[in-house]
Amino acid sequence: LHDVAILYQYLTDYDQALNLYKKILNIYQDLDDEQEIANTYNNMCWISNASARIDNEIAINYCNQSIYLQKKLHGENHERLVEPLHNLGRSLANQSKYFKSIEYLQKALSIELNHQKRDVKLSGIYHNLAVSFSWLGNLYEAEKFYLKSLEIKEKIYDQNNIELAITYSSLGVLYGHLKRFDLSEEYNLKGLEIRKNVFGKLHLETIRSQTNS
């Protein structure tokens, strides 16, 4: 079931993925396997964040369930807390609770920096910190974290990875707000070019990106 749920995630069929994870959760609850219950709640939180159809309060509840169990099993600063804390930060940002979002993202960042320092995790946390700071109007702090994220992404991803496009476009919008129009154009065009290569010229993602360029 788990492999099928992951497949639905990659296909962005989040309703089907969530339904499967609910079945998986019931199995682990019957087995009283708290570690796998915690992991499953975290997966359900991630899916809820990714889907526009699922209420943010549901996502927050899943994240909190995962965090509670991970703390119970491993303590306050274990690396298994990084993902649910990160996902909770994203859920709170989706509710426009940016100060709380930053609080949990910084907790995730602190734990990750004190443990494995995984590039993929760090680049995601930096990007989402930048998003929350940007919404709060703290554009220079947002710039700092976007650039930290981009530095890692340019190192670990190939030049046509959509993760790069996301941060390029975010920087393009940010520099537009800062009236640094040369940099705004540069980064927006980089994001647009990747989307053309990945999705094609007529895809909705590409068309949306063109409105920023």
Side-chain angles (χ1 to χ4, degrees), residues 45-58:
C45 178
W46 187 95
I47 290 166
S48 300
N49 282 334
S51 172
R53 293 159 54 89
I54 300 172
D55 188 272
N56 285 326
E57 286 296 335
I58 294 173

Side-chain angles (χ1 to χ4, degrees), residues 22-207:
K22 287 177 180 177
K23 292 179 181 178
I24 292 167
L25 180 65
N26 287 334
I27 292 169
Y28 287 132
Q29 286 173 331
D30 288 341
L31 295 171
D32 198 27
D33 188 334
E34 290 190 319
Q35 183 58 71
E36 290 301 336
I37 293 169
N39 294 342
T40 304
Y41 273 127
N42 180 60
N43 290 331
M44 292 165 72
C45 178
W46 187 95
I47 290 166
S48 300
N49 282 334
S51 172
R53 293 159 54 89
I54 300 172
D55 188 272
N56 285 326
E57 286 296 335
I58 294 173
I60 288 171
N61 179 60
Y62 291 148
C63 289
N64 280 325
Q65 294 278 6
S66 180
I67 290 167
Y68 168 77
L69 287 170
Q70 299 289 16
K71 286 182 177 180
K72 177 183 175 183
L73 293 167
H74 304 292
E76 295 283 331
N77 294 299
H78 195 274
E79 60 191 346
R80 286 185 181 270
L81 282 163
V82 171
E83 286 193 29
L85 287 170
H86 184 187
N87 285 329
L88 180 55
R90 292 177 60 216
S91 298
L92 291 163
N94 289 340
Q95 284 194 330
S96 302
K97 296 177 179 177
Y98 301 115
F99 288 109
K100 293 296 291 184
S101 169
I102 289 166
E103 176 186 340
Y104 284 101
L105 290 169
Q106 287 179 330
K107 285 181 182 178
L109 177 62
S110 176
I111 294 171
E112 186 62 30
L113 288 173
N114 285 320
H115 288 85
Q116 294 191 53
K117 299 180 182 178
R118 294 165 290 186
D119 284 336
V120 171
K121 304 297 182 189
L122 290 172
S123 66
I125 296 169
Y126 285 140
H127 181 95
N128 286 308
L129 277 166
V131 170
S132 285
F133 276 115
S134 182
W135 279 108
L136 288 172
N138 193 338
L139 300 184
Y140 291 104
E141 197 71 5
E143 178 191 21
K144 179 181 79 173
F145 284 113
Y146 277 137
L147 290 174
K148 281 177 176 284
S149 178
L150 182 60
E151 181 181 8
I152 296 171
K153 287 182 176 183
E154 287 183 329
K155 180 176 69 174
I156 64 175
Y157 295 123
D158 68 64
Q159 62 183 1
N160 282 319
N161 193 291
I162 197 63
E163 285 294 327
L164 273 172
I166 291 168
T167 301
Y168 282 143
S169 297
S170 297
L171 275 166
V173 172
L174 178 77
Y175 284 128
H177 290 312
L178 290 171
K179 301 190 186 306
R180 297 170 68 179
F181 298 117
D182 54 338
L183 285 174
S184 178
E185 181 181 20
E186 176 186 342
Y187 283 110
N188 277 321
L189 287 174
K190 285 183 176 181
L192 174 61
E193 192 61 29
I194 292 172
R195 286 178 172 86
K196 285 180 179 178
N197 292 336
V198 173
F199 299 120
K201 293 181 179 179
L202 300 179
H203 193 278
L204 184 58
E205 281 288 327
T206 306
I207 294 168

